[in-house]
Amino acid sequence: MSHRSAPPRSAITVAAASVMLIALSGCSTPAPAGEAASTPGITEETVTIGTHHPLTGPAAAGYASISAATTAYFEYLNEQGGIHGRTIEYVVKDDGYNPSNTQNVVRELVEEDEVFAVVNGLGTPTHTSVLDYLNQKKVPDLFVASGSTSWNQPEKYPYTFAYNVDYVAEGEALAQYAEDEFPGKSVCVLGQDDDFGTEFTTGLQNVLGADGLASVQTYSVSNQDVVAQISAMKAAGCEINMLATVNGFTALAVGTAAKLGYAPQWFSSSSGGDYPTLVTFLGADLAPKLLQGFVSTNYLPFGQDDEWRALFEEINTEYNDDAPFDGNTVYGMSVAYLFAEALAAAGEDPTRESLIEAISSGDLEGNGVVPLSFGDDSHAAFMGVGITTVDGGVQDFVGSTYVSDGKGKVSKDDVEPVSLSNEGVPED
Amino acid sequence: MTSLTGTPRVIAGGVALTVLAIACTFLLDPYRNYQLALVAAYLCATAGLTLLIGLTGQLSLGHAALMAAGGYGYALTANALTDAGVEGLPRFILGLIAGVVAAGVIGLLLGLAAARLHGPYLAGVTLALVIALPAFTSVFVGVFRGDQGVQIAYDGVPEALSALIAVEQWQAWVAILVAGITLTLLTLVRNGKAGLRMRAVRDDEVAARLSGIPAGRVKVHAFLVSALGAGAGGAVLCFVTQSVSPGAYTLAFSLLLVVAVVVGGLGSILGAAIGSALIVLLPWLVQTGTGALSLPGELQQRLSGNLPVLVFGALLIVVTAVWPGGIRGALRGRKASGTAASGTTGHSPSEPISTEPLTTEPLTIQPVSTESER
């Protein structure tokens, strides 16, 4: 018996010994310290960057068009000569809004595709799962598509910068607007059961007081049913319902309430308040009725006669197969513009360090309706918002801008938006 | 080098293979090492599962949930320890133990149900477990943090090694080490008296009872052992990815684990290894393949999520049709015919317990012992 089994054992021994030998010879050239000479993702002609977005799964319907818009803007930019003579290649990977997929695709971007930076990774739960990894690897983690305050921790996460308005600031702005325009109404909230919902609710409470909310409801993305939550809000007599929901769940909440014969005033965060996207969920005939008076925040140039919007519509027609033009399109192109601006500011031969420095300098302007908040001690993009409402199927700014000081105080401001120059191409 | 037999032999084989696998990490780039770490983590779970299905004929569709239990056990313990100022190796070991224990407790409960349920009813219970997972984490959102899951601090390379290896390689080492220990223990169970009893219960429960084997206890035991493997796998996966979330442990993933052990070869640890490698590599290969075809963007998007599942399904059908013993059975069949060994069909009960390290005679898939009920 021992005879029969001898060959495999000696084979293993030999194999093990030979692999050990190869391994030891491999040790002499340690892998990690090797590549100091060149910056990953940068060649003479190109800059390769990547992102993770939900192209499939529960959040896809609301957000899948963002990365297409970003890609379209980069194509436009590349045709104008790119930045410092380099064209931008944008690698988009699908994570299905599932944190475990995000882990895989982001590692693939960093290790396999060797991207220069990760730009506009989408989602609070998804991006949280790669935050430590990206900072450990010292990969610039720019303009995360989420307003969680996690991205604004310069000491802990020096490589991470936010893009969306801070959720706390957004909650504060909406609560202040409610107090200003709808005084004395009973306010409630429906939030996603993660940082998005929690921080937004914190913002509301900063203004309304700890017991200022008549009902606090949460939902989980994996369960596509909010009847229980909406019924509870109806029972609690909520007159203004604040929504920290992704687009699909905004539509679900509004639709469910309509089915229950319940018509409160809706206030939504910018993440789930894009009217053209909501129309695709609710239908073109129902949406204008269900969403009449719908209040939402926005910090990007979405006004009906905005010059940025006009440019983006042109780019959308020419480089994005004339896809439906909505808030996601403006969002995708605006974040692309901001990255281009940062890359231009990072110098002729950008490195990961010079890119981070360029953003931290606080000199970037972007194209928001409120100024960018980037600086040495702040990695938040926007601390303020404009208020939009829907009237007769058209979403537009009402003219009020609310800016938070980051400590629970909100001020109503009149801020001049950044005007368009050089046809939307950052100057080198 | 003469006759090492029984337990020392299995341990020697386990050590040799573990060292071999660790040596291999030097040949791989960081991303491959990350994939290797994933394979090692999945292997802990599939090895337990193949033992459960192959040896006792009990089907579990809930192994993803058991892995999740391991992952949450690890993450919550590691976070508590981080807060208490414990770091490094003690944190990892305690977390690992907590993960394994958490999975073990659930596995034990499932096993108790398993001893009373058969076939589809058992499958139903385990199925319910994995389906209930997202609801469970949403209800206790304060602890499990809903869909977002629990994140843990990064465990970097220990200082002594940091000049030598990258962090992915270190993670692969840890994963391989845990997998090596888990697999060695599982092989010992499998080759020992416990394994023999499991087979006896699978082949003919009545006969086993008549021979004085406590069938119920053997089944519970099998479920427990298998759950411990899954718990170790989940804990390691959490260590490698620094997070655990319900989205990582869906029903689809549970089914994938079952498909992996069937395709690899039921009951065989080598088969489980082949299956785990397939889980990690197949989606990646398919994606790379479709990427190379330069398909239109939208089609590629649709394919990237669905094609791997399709390929897995097709593979399952082809493998079970062509090689009923799985890929492992196919490999063995070729070897045996080459050396004109004494027949390749199945195992005879009188054959002594195998002495090959980590693998034994292929178990031809037998329709799970329902025909011997009466």
Side-chain angles (χ1 to χ4, degrees):
Chain A
M1 194 174 73
S2 60
H3 264 285
R4 196 180 65 114
S5 54
R9 194 167 71 221
S10 53
I12 287 177
T13 321
V14 171
S18 52
V19 172
M20 280 301 280
L21 271 179
I22 300 170
L24 287 174
S25 65
C27 289
S28 54
T29 51
E35 44 182 72
S38 66
T39 302
I42 302 275
T43 68
E44 285 296 313
E45 291 91 28
T46 59
V47 177
T48 306
I49 54 176
T51 196
H52 62 89
H53 271 239
L55 305 178
T56 57
Y63 300 123
S65 57
I66 293 178
S67 53
T70 308
T71 307
Y73 174 85
F74 283 140
E75 271 175 39
Y76 164 77
L77 179 72
N78 290 344
E79 232 160 73
Q80 319 287 315
I83 301 290
H84 294 304
R86 290 189 186 83
T87 55
I88 296 173
E89 291 184 6
Y90 193 50
V91 184
V92 183
K93 303 242 175 192
D94 179 24
D95 65 7
Y97 209 64
N98 176 342
S100 121
N101 295 345
T102 313
Q103 304 242 350
N104 273 322
V105 299
V106 167
R107 275 179 167 83
E108 222 177 314
L109 285 171
V110 173
E111 314 280 354
E112 289 265 286
D113 304 325
E114 299 191 346
V115 294
F116 177 52
V118 171
V119 176
N120 198 226
L122 191 146
T124 305
T126 47
H127 199 76
T128 305
S129 71
V130 292
L131 190 56
D132 276 309
Y133 169 76
L134 287 173
N135 279 276
Q136 174 87 9
K137 286 271 166 180
K138 303 190 170 148
V139 180
D141 176 23
L142 308 184
F143 316 141
V144 183
S146 145
S148 168
T149 48
S150 323
W151 325 132
N152 182 15
Q153 301 184 61
E155 306 234 314
K156 197 170 170 200
Y157 300 118
Y159 291 87
T160 300
F161 292 83
Y163 187 65
N164 290 27
V165 59
D166 185 294
Y167 289 139
V168 177
E170 207 172 18
E172 289 171 352
L174 280 176
Q176 193 61 51
Y177 182 72
E179 285 208 328
D180 291 352
E181 305 293 325
F182 300 84
K185 298 263 184 181
S186 155
V187 181
C188 301
V189 62
L190 171 66
Q192 196 159 297
D193 65 349
D194 53 26
D195 292 353
F196 175 18
T198 319
E199 293 182 1
F200 181 83
T201 306
T202 305
L204 295 174
Q205 285 168 335
N206 283 350
V207 172
L208 301 172
D211 50 2
L213 293 165
S215 170
V216 177
Q217 299 293 324
T218 60
Y219 72 93
S220 130
V221 179
S222 51
N223 180 7
Q224 305 254 347
D225 184 322
V226 293
V227 174
Q229 290 91 328
I230 300 296
S231 304
M233 292 173 121
K234 187 182 178 188
C238 304
E239 293 162 293
I240 296 179
N241 284 343
M242 302 278 182
L243 297 173
T245 49
V246 293
N247 281 313
F249 279 84
T250 306
L252 195 61
V254 172
T256 304
K259 275 189 201 154
L260 295 172
Y262 171 41
Q265 170 67 45
W266 299 100
F267 276 44
S268 166
S269 91
S270 56
S271 311
D274 179 45
Y275 181 75
T277 304
L278 295 175
V279 171
T280 62
F281 286 99
L282 295 168
D285 27 334
L286 269 182
K289 289 176 208 147
L290 293 179
L291 296 173
Q292 177 63 29
F294 181 85
V295 174
S296 170
T297 57
N298 203 340
Y299 45 92
L300 293 175
F302 196 56
Q304 294 299 322
D305 44 9
D306 191 285
E307 47 189 345
W308 285 100
R309 181 180 173 134
L311 170 73
F312 289 160
E313 280 189 273
E314 270 173 39
I315 296 175
N316 188 53
T317 309
E318 196 167 335
Y319 297 90
N320 200 17
D321 294 339
D322 208 8
F325 188 86
D326 55 27
N328 286 339
T329 321
V330 172
Y331 183 98
M333 292 192 187
S334 299
V335 79
Y337 172 79
L338 183 58
F339 173 74
E341 197 189 343
L343 187 64
E348 291 256 340
D349 288 301
T351 62
R352 285 175 164 173
E353 285 67 34
S354 73
L355 183 67
I356 297 292
E357 265 172 44
I359 302 167
S360 305
S361 71
D363 292 340
L364 298 187
E365 289 197 318
N367 67 343
V369 299
V370 293
L372 287 168
S373 305
F374 293 134
D376 262 339
D377 52 356
S378 166
H379 284 190
F382 299 101
M383 291 302 288
V385 287
I387 303 288
T388 70
T389 57
V390 174
D391 185 19
V394 178
Q395 190 171 35
D396 205 350
F397 286 102
V398 297
S400 311
T401 311
Y402 289 86
V403 178
S404 163
D405 67 349
K407 298 181 189 77
K409 284 212 116 175
V410 200
S411 49
K412 195 169 168 179
D413 260 332
D414 288 323
V415 190
E416 269 298 297
V418 183
S419 57
L420 178 71
S421 64
N422 199 26
E423 299 188 348
V425 175
E427 289 167 72
D428 293 354
Chain B
M1 286 269 306
T2 44
S3 52
L4 263 181
T5 52
T7 306
R9 191 193 150 86
V10 169
I11 293 174
V15 170
L17 286 175
T18 307
V19 170
L20 187 73
I22 287 182
C24 282
T25 61
F26 282 101
L27 306 175
L28 302 174
D29 62 45
Y31 187 65
R32 307 273 174 273
N33 270 325
Y34 168 69
Q35 289 183 318
L36 185 63
L38 293 187
V39 171
Y42 293 149
L43 180 51
C44 296
T46 50
L49 187 61
T50 205
L51 194 104
L52 182 73
I53 304 180
L55 258 55
T56 68
Q58 302 180 95
L59 179 61
S60 166
L61 299 178
H63 258 54
L66 293 172
M67 281 186 87
Y72 279 106
Y74 179 84
L76 296 174
T77 312
N79 279 343
L81 290 172
T82 310
D83 290 342
V86 182
E87 302 228 323
L89 193 64
R91 179 171 66 185
F92 176 75
I93 303 241
L94 289 173
L96 181 64
I97 291 172
V100 170
V101 168
V105 169
I106 299 178
L108 188 65
L109 294 175
L110 271 182
L112 290 173
R116 291 162 175 78
L117 297 170
H118 287 280
Y121 306 104
L122 174 59
V125 170
T126 55
L127 185 67
L129 188 71
V130 72
I131 290 177
L133 179 70
F136 187 77
T137 56
S138 297
V139 170
F140 299 101
V141 70
V143 182
F144 300 109
R145 315 247 298 130
D147 288 343
Q148 190 167 327
V150 181
Q151 274 74 38
I152 58 167
Y154 212 90
D155 251 321
V157 189
E159 284 213 6
L161 290 169
S162 59
L164 193 64
I165 58 174
V167 66
E168 285 81 6
Q169 195 172 354
W170 167 244
Q171 292 173 337
W173 284 19
V174 173
I176 290 168
L177 216 58
V178 174
I181 294 169
T182 308
L183 260 61
T184 306
L185 294 175
L186 286 174
T187 308
L188 287 176
V189 169
R190 184 203 140 102
N191 288 2
K193 209 191 274 179
L196 200 60
R197 287 174 164 205
M198 289 176 193
R199 276 168 243 213
V201 171
R202 175 198 64 193
D203 289 342
D204 193 330
E205 196 170 326
V206 177
R209 280 179 198 279
L210 285 173
S211 320
I213 296 174
R217 203 185 300 167
V218 168
K219 284 179 168 181
V220 176
H221 185 204
F223 233 109
L224 174 63
V225 168
S226 166
L228 294 177
V236 169
L237 203 57
C238 181
F239 166 77
V240 172
T241 60
Q242 290 93 51
S243 82
V244 53
S245 61
Y249 300 105
T250 54
L251 176 60
F253 181 65
S254 236
L255 295 173
L256 212 57
L257 289 176
V258 176
V259 172
V261 299
V262 173
V263 168
L266 263 187
S268 147
I269 304 267
L270 177 60
I274 295 170
S276 318
L278 281 178
I279 295 182
V280 174
L281 296 182
L282 205 61
W284 172 71
L285 282 176
V286 168
Q287 211 170 18
T288 315
T290 51
L293 286 178
S294 68
L295 299 166
E298 198 174 340
L299 180 65
Q300 200 165 332
Q301 271 179 31
R302 283 181 194 285
L303 286 180
S304 75
N306 300 323
L307 202 56
V309 181
L310 195 74
V311 171
F312 252 107
L315 197 66
L316 177 67
I317 294 169
V318 169
V319 167
T320 42
V322 180
W323 307 302
I327 294 175
R328 161 71 186 140
L331 291 175
R332 185 174 177 90
R334 211 171 52 200
K335 197 171 81 185
S337 66
T339 55
S342 60
T344 58
T345 50
H347 62 116
S348 61
S350 58
E351 200 175 295
I353 297 159
S354 170
T355 50
E356 277 188 61
L358 300 181
T359 59
T360 58
E361 68 275 7
L363 290 153
T364 45
I365 305 180
Q366 299 172 338
V368 172
S369 71
T370 42
E371 78 281 10
S372 56
E373 292 295 278
R374 58 213 63 146

